[in-house]
Amino acid sequence: MDLGVFAFLFPAASFSRCKQEDGNCLLEAITATFRNFYKGVPEIGLVQLDPLRIDKMDIVQGDGPINIVLNFRKVDLTGFQQAEIKKASGFTPNPTKMELDLLVPVVSLIGGYKINGKVLILPIQGEGSSNMTMANCDISLKWTGKLVEKSGKQFYQIDKFKMHFDTTRFYMDFTNLFNGDKALGDNMNVFLNDNWQDILKELKPAIAEAFKQIFESVIGNVFSKVPYSELYLA
């Protein structure tokens, strides 16, 4: 049985058609979506993916050697236009579990920040602009859900959503640390990047939780706006 790739993956006239069991075709199709439709498709609820504007994101780490409250405001998440889809499963006529695994060469979170707390043995505080960048970001998105009926049509409703990521390098740059003391700020940025592995190990659960909410909102918005059967090409 031939099934079209989801319409939200290829809303324009030029698209690929895939058999349900043709996993390679689906991987190529979704990867092409990030390349060609990264600016979003408003009519079906797909927001702009690159840059992805995030009005508010908080990373709170209260235990262990890192104890910080890191607030981001009006930041842009960039790099997803270059995403490569490694796995896509569960996109079936009667979906339950779904999974997307993607590799993004460079992911950056750029914008305003405010931080207060302690990193390893050093206090840290500041408010200004920031850049957090991850190289070779390997992202796994998994969710479960079911079809529910609304107004006589069936929509896919996400129940539980999980996100996991790995990276080969984590870079951090924060301006205006310690009320603009350049010497202290420069030294802290060097310290953060010299100890990125230990810092990321501690922050990883909090970062993953913050990104989980973002990705769940992006994906769930499409599912909530378009009846599931209409996400396929006729």
Side-chain angles (χ1 to χ4, degrees), residues 1-207:
M1 178 177 65
D2 288 342
L3 290 177
V5 178
F6 285 123
F8 73 85
L9 298 178
F10 288 91
S14 177
F15 57 84
S16 298
R17 291 185 64 86
C18 300
K19 292 183 178 180
Q20 184 179 358
E21 66 275 10
D22 192 346
N24 288 334
C25 177
L26 186 57
L27 293 181
E28 293 173 1
I30 300 178
T31 296
T33 298
F34 280 91
R35 300 285 191 275
N36 300 327
F37 301 105
Y38 63 91
K39 291 187 177 180
V41 187
E43 57 267 28
I44 54 88
L46 182 63
V47 300
Q48 180 167 314
L49 299 175
D50 194 356
L52 175 62
R53 169 51 63 99
I54 303 169
D55 290 328
K56 176 181 177 182
M57 190 180 90
D58 299 318
I59 296 175
V60 180
Q61 176 67 26
D63 299 318
I66 295 181
N67 191 322
I68 63 169
V69 176
L70 177 54
N71 308 118
F72 293 103
R73 298 294 181 267
K74 295 183 178 179
V75 291
D76 288 325
L77 187 63
T78 68
F80 280 86
Q81 184 184 359
Q82 302 303 320
E84 175 189 351
I85 307 303
K86 301 193 302 179
K87 180 180 180 179
S89 64
F91 295 85
T92 64
N94 187 25
T96 53
K97 298 179 181 179
M98 292 183 174
E99 180 175 356
L100 277 180
D101 292 350
L102 53 152
L103 179 65
V104 188
V106 180
V107 174
S108 296
L109 185 70
I110 303 170
Y113 86 94
K114 182 177 182 180
I115 190 171
N116 189 56
K118 183 182 72 172
V119 177
L120 302 180
I121 60 174
L122 299 179
I124 185 172
Q125 63 89 15
E127 183 175 2
S129 60
S130 63
N131 184 331
M132 291 175 56
T133 293
M134 292 182 283
N136 300 312
C137 193
D138 202 342
I139 300 172
S140 175
L141 306 173
K142 298 180 181 180
W143 63 91
T144 60
K146 60 184 179 181
L147 295 178
V148 296
E149 187 170 327
K150 293 188 296 184
S151 302
K153 296 184 177 181
Q154 289 193 317
F155 293 77
Y156 183 81
Q157 179 176 288
I158 295 175
D159 179 25
K160 295 181 180 179
F161 197 99
K162 295 181 179 180
M163 185 269 189
H164 175 80
F165 75 93
D166 285 308
T167 180
T168 59
R169 189 65 167 89
F170 183 51
Y171 300 93
M172 292 159 281
D173 182 68
F174 296 96
T175 69
N176 200 46
L177 287 168
F178 306 107
N179 298 315
D181 188 312
K182 188 176 187 305
L184 286 177
D186 289 348
N187 287 335
M188 174 56 74
N189 278 306
V190 171
F191 176 81
L192 293 174
N193 286 285
D194 284 347
N195 295 276
W196 72 270
Q197 290 175 307
D198 292 332
I199 293 170
L200 182 60
K201 181 180 178 181
E202 295 296 323
L203 289 181
K204 198 172 185 180
I207 294 174

Side-chain angles (χ1 to χ4, degrees), residues 206-233:
I207 294 174
E209 176 61 27
F211 280 125
K212 178 188 82 74
Q213 297 177 25
I214 294 165
F215 287 118
E216 182 176 6
S217 176
V218 170
I219 295 171
N221 192 51
V222 174
F223 284 134
S224 67
K225 187 168 183 178
V226 184
Y228 188 75
S229 62
E230 296 178 16
L231 290 173
Y232 290 94
L233 296 170

